[in-house]
Amino acid sequence: MALRLLHSADWQIGRIYSQFEPDDAAALFEARFTVVERLAALARERSADAVLVAGDVFDAQTVSDKTIRRLFNALSGYQGAWVMLPGNHDAALAESVWTRAHRLGVVSSNVITCLEPAIRIIGNRFAVLPAPLMQRHTYGDLTEWFSSASTPEGLPRIGLAHGCVQGVLADELDSANPIAANRAVTAGLDYLALGDWHGSRRLDERTWYAGTPETDRFRANDSGQALWVEVAAPGATPEVEVLQTGRYRWRQVEGRLAVSSDVDEVTRTLAGVGPEDVLQLRVSGVCDLNGQERLRQAVEAARARLRALVLESQELRLEPTDEDIASLRADGYVGEALAQLRNEQTGDESDKAREALVILARILNGRSNTSAAANTEARV
Amino acid sequence: MKLKRLRIEHFKRFRAPFEIDGFADGLNLFAAPNESGKSTVTEAIRAAFFERHRSTRVEHLRPWGDSAATPTVDVEFEMDSKRYRLTKAFLGKKRCDLTIEGQAPLDGVVAEDHLAQLLGFKFPGKGASAPEHMGIPGLLWIRQGTSHELAQAVTFAADQLRQVLGESLGELTSSGGDAVLQAVEAERNELLTPATGNPRGEFAAALQRKQELASTLSSLERDIAAYQGSVDRLATLRNDHLRDEQERPWASLREQLRSAQGRLDGAQGLQTRQESEQTALQQWRMQAASLRSELDAFARDDAAVTTRQKTLELRANAESAVIAEMQSWERRHAEQVAAEAQARRVLERVRAVGARVETSRAVAELANTVASMTDLLSRAREERTRLTRLQAEAEGLKVSPNDLEKILQLSSSLREVDVRLEAAATTLDFDLLEGQTLRMDDEQVSGRERRTVVGRTELFIEGVGRIAVQAGGETIAALMAQRESQSSEMGAMLRKLTVANPAQAQERARQAAQRLQDARASQKVLAALAPEGVDALEAELASRTLRMQEMRAALDELPEPDQADALLPNQAAALAEAGRALAALEDVVTQLNQSRVTAGQAQSEHATARQELAAAQATADDTQRAERIAAARQSLSDALAREAAAAHRLQATAAELQNVNLALLRQDVDRLTRSAEQLEDAHERRRQDIMRLEVDLETRGALGLEEQSAELRREQDAITRRAEELARLAAALDHLLSLLREKRSALARRLRAPLQKHSDRYLGILFPGARMEVSDDLSPGATTRLGPHGPESGEFEELSVGTREQMGIVARLAYADLLQEAGRPTLLILDDALVNTDDERLGQMKRVLYDAAQRHQVLIFTCHPAAWRDLGVAPRAIGG
């Protein structure tokens, strides 16, 4: 019978999202536990032989006891083997989140924490060759020993490592924790389960990054997934299936405003968001008072619907139209001030001028509304 | 606007119709005394414009005491070259008609509102018109005594003025610009302090929180770094510990130590032997010394016997010499005792003889004294008896001086009464025949006799009968009564003194005085005889007598005189002799005692020497002594031999020891022991360090430091975003506020310019070179004038009432010019407006007013026509 493994990594339990409002940050914090529960459910439903977690289970060494307990509680949905590897965030140091977890007595017997580079035989079904990080940063290849390690005959050899495969990920060339690109071949591995890269990624037919099961940043392709790996027999090419596990969709929306219809497009995008969306909206360009107000209202409306929103509008320039100005009915010296603020939009302190213009417009709008409501009152 | 005609009827003072016609276009001067209706005229003009014709609050317009009248004002004026006529009737038949040249007439409220619009004032919602409604006319129509109060009037006219000024400057005014400015200011002041522009409120709180978070975070990061450092250290320690556990570097040291210890132990055995040999040598030396001293002791015993014998002889000789000396002193002692007794006896005899002589002399003296005192006492006693007698007699004869005087007085008075009686009495001269008698009252009268009669006296002549003679004169009876009373008083006095007549009384008084004098003399005698009284004298005599008897008895006790007494030395010599004898005796006694003590000592020493000799002899004579001496000699030679052997052994051992370096061996052992212990200790310490670190890390790990710091960083990011947002907002608000203020200020300057121009023109007439600022609210501000010490500046409100009055009018004229330029109607009414102004200034003000009247109609009401004589227009009267 084929060996069936659920490959995941980079849970980053205990991560806190500083760019969001407290309640949004809390929900995203929670989501990392619920996705683990979802993984447990998947492993149970698909009768996995084991779940491999290739490092960075925890986001930090000193998370709270409560966080540790919650993580191990979240595993209870799957009674099979959880094979966990320390990564760079949760390295197996002399004192680590792992030693704490063991001390707390929350690590149940079906959870195998690979704190040392030693072969483990899991349920007499396969051999795991783990390459745990035992320092915060390692500049040598920890998987090197795989090549010389012998495992019982007839059991598939499964490598488990966390780091950066050399020569593949161009932008992380000189990062720490290097892993040789051909390790699976040189070490005769049936499958090398990797962690550290937050998107799912195939390096060769036997070497995969699982990616994080719940997206945690805007720029992460193919995250929010786990890998279903089946190894028919030792030496056979593994079959890998990508499973969707994440709940929240992290999106970046760029709005370059030039004409009034550009605002409409942004508002349409905003109108389409739902409670699973985590959105970063970056607007730039030029916009009139009316557009600015419509944008503001659309953002406020969206904020109430989606999970979290980050608005970046520093690049947006406000250019009131003559109609805007006329509708504000600013005469006398207020009118002069308004005109000057319009001119300052292109100056050195355009941010300040824009803000001032918005405030003035708001006050004038408020006034024209109230004075319309009470125009019978005698002027003073 | 120019008034043309005014007609009033049933209006306050003017019950009958009153009309002013032919108002001049320029100056109009109305001069009238007080209470003649000046104010009624101005009030009528005000009422016509400001009060609604339907108002019920204008009761005061009615003539006094006429509650049914309809106050009516009819005013014609010209405005914009059009003729207007306004007729207004109040209270009774309420009516308002306005005819305008070339237009359809208006009436009622429409007419009123039309005028209000034209002239720039308002009507109150209800009730009577108040200053805040009067607008421009309220400013230009100056009520009596209010010309110096300008600020409020300007405020009430501000809207119209602004409008006018605004119109004159085009559409520059902002509709409610100030409200916008206030809103901006309020928002800005929520984030920044008004004065310094420092953050406040939420902004300040956000910055504060940001700083707090930064500091908390940095401390947390330090903790995390420390924690990580500890983790690394733990790893190092564990590695080191494991290595030592395997290598056990202290074990080889322990082996080396064991062999070094063996070598040291051997060397140390040699030294112990040397020490015990040293001890043995020492013991033999001491043994030999002890034996030598024993033999010395035996030799000393023999010498002692000889010495003691010599001593005994010396002691015996000394004893006999001392005893001889003592016996000699005993003899001399007996002799001196006898000599001293003899001297004492002679002294006693001398003293007895002296005492007898002395006592005899005292007894004789006392006998004399007692005799003379006895005599003195008897004389004193006699004198005392005499004194007592004299005092008793004097007491018996004593007459009170008052009594005596009284008696003498009465006697003299009686004599006088008798004389007067005699004089007044009837004298009866009898010359009776021999043998013939008659009886006068009960008295026999015969012969020649003369009697006086003072009372009724009956003469009885036998055989003839009775003749009653009645003394004449009225005084008789009174005198008789006086004499009767005085003689009875006299009788009583004499009886009291037991004398027969006054002469006797006088004699008794004299005798009593004589006795008293004698008694005083006798008292002096007695005092001389016994100064301390007779009794004291008696007592002293008794005492002296007793003493004399005692002396006599003492004399009898003394020994009889002897013939040998004459040979005795005098007392001083005897006393000296006795003293010398006693001193000599005491000397001898001392010497004797001393020699006795010496003798005792000598005897005792002799006895001791004898005993010592006996003891020494006994020792020397002991039978076992010789054996002991022999034994000791043998022992000594034995001990000396052993001592030599021990010294030899010791020398050999010392030579052996010199070949072994003990100190170096000890150092080897010490060094190796320490090294091994250090390694073991370090190992143990490391084990403990590991344990401590483990515990520490366990504890600190549970704090969730990184999770905490991540959470704090999240909050820091949030608060930083908020603070930046607020900073942007605050900067924008601040910018907007200053921009609005700047624009507003520029606008205000532009708005004020025309008003400033007119104001400067009039002020130049009043105070050449002066300048008055026009403030933002268009009211007069600081004024600068040329004073005696250069330019002086002051706020309008700080000026004197008179100056403010003048400036108030100047300002109003400037407003009027301004209004006129804007095509607004102007009319100036000054109701006694310059009452606080002096003549000189009034002169200037007339120039000002004359100048203003070139452009405006000006109505001046005054009660001082003389003051306005040179205004250039004839004054017009009001009323009557």
Side-chain angles (χ1 to χ4, degrees), chain B residues 338-575:
Chain B
E340 199 265 344
Q342 176 59 28
R344 205 157 6 99
R345 273 196 301 281
V346 169
L347 181 59
E348 274 169 20
R349 188 66 196 169
V350 167
R351 277 185 178 145
V353 169
R356 168 168 289 277
V357 172
E358 183 60 26
T359 311
S360 307
R361 194 185 52 79
V363 166
E365 263 176 28
L366 270 173
N368 280 344
T369 308
V370 165
S372 76
M373 279 182 76
T374 309
D375 179 45
L376 199 60
L377 181 62
S378 75
R379 276 167 61 198
R381 275 180 184 147
E382 273 169 35
E383 195 62 42
R384 189 171 67 181
T385 313
R386 187 167 159 257
L387 176 62
T388 310
R389 186 175 50 79
L390 281 172
Q391 280 170 337
E393 281 173 5
E395 188 60 33
L397 291 172
K398 190 173 153 192
V399 176
S400 135
N402 289 343
D403 288 354
L404 185 61
E405 195 179 343
K406 184 79 180 168
I407 287 167
L408 291 179
Q409 215 174 356
L410 283 171
S411 151
S412 146
S413 178
L414 271 177
R415 265 193 312 276
E416 191 187 336
V417 168
D418 281 346
V419 171
R420 284 170 62 186
L421 262 182
E422 193 71 25
T426 304
T427 309
L428 295 182
D429 281 326
F430 296 96
D431 192 359
L432 297 184
L433 299 171
E434 247 339 285
Q436 290 300 340
T437 64
L438 62 82
R439 225 175 46 220
M440 189 174 162
D441 289 336
D442 296 333
E443 238 179 298
Q444 228 33 73
V445 180
S446 62
R448 287 166 76 100
E449 267 183 76
R450 177 181 250 197
R451 300 280 175 99
T452 54
V453 176
V454 289
R456 179 190 163 90
T457 306
E458 283 182 355
L459 299 177
F460 185 75
I461 307 167
E462 209 142 346
V464 177
R466 281 175 205 265
I467 302 162
V469 180
Q470 182 72 46
E474 291 175 4
T475 57
I476 297 287
L479 288 169
M480 284 295 283
Q482 192 178 1
R483 193 179 66 171
E484 196 61 29
S485 99
Q486 285 182 347
S487 65
S488 108
E489 194 179 349
M490 169 75 97
M493 290 296 285
L494 293 174
R495 273 193 305 281
K496 179 182 162 197
L497 296 176
T498 63
V499 287
N501 52 45
Q504 272 187 2
Q506 265 181 308
E507 178 57 22
R508 259 187 72 178
R510 195 195 55 80
Q511 282 180 356
Q514 184 61 50
R515 293 293 191 282
L516 276 177
Q517 205 177 344
D518 291 351
R520 276 196 290 278
S522 162
Q523 198 135 33
K524 278 182 189 154
V525 171
L526 187 58
L529 290 173
E532 288 165 10
V534 178
D535 294 342
L537 195 59
E538 274 175 354
E540 194 181 349
L541 178 60
S543 137
R544 294 280 171 98
T545 310
L546 187 61
R547 176 148 173 72
M548 188 176 70
Q549 285 162 358
E550 283 169 2
M551 295 286 266
R552 275 195 184 126
L555 193 58
D556 290 346
E557 291 288 310
L558 290 170
E560 289 300 311
D562 197 329
Q563 296 217 319
D565 289 352
L567 298 174
L568 289 169
N570 65 18
Q571 192 171 346
L575 196 58

Side-chain angles (χ1 to χ4, degrees), chain B residues 744-775:
Chain B
R744 184 183 187 281
S745 171
L747 176 66
R749 271 198 305 281
R750 286 203 298 279
L751 288 178
R752 288 196 304 265
L755 182 57
Q756 186 78 58
K757 182 185 76 190
H758 296 297
S759 157
D760 288 353
R761 170 197 172 89
Y762 291 115
L763 204 60
I765 299 172
L766 184 59
F767 303 116
R771 189 180 156 78
M772 179 167 71
E773 300 288 331
V774 177
S775 39

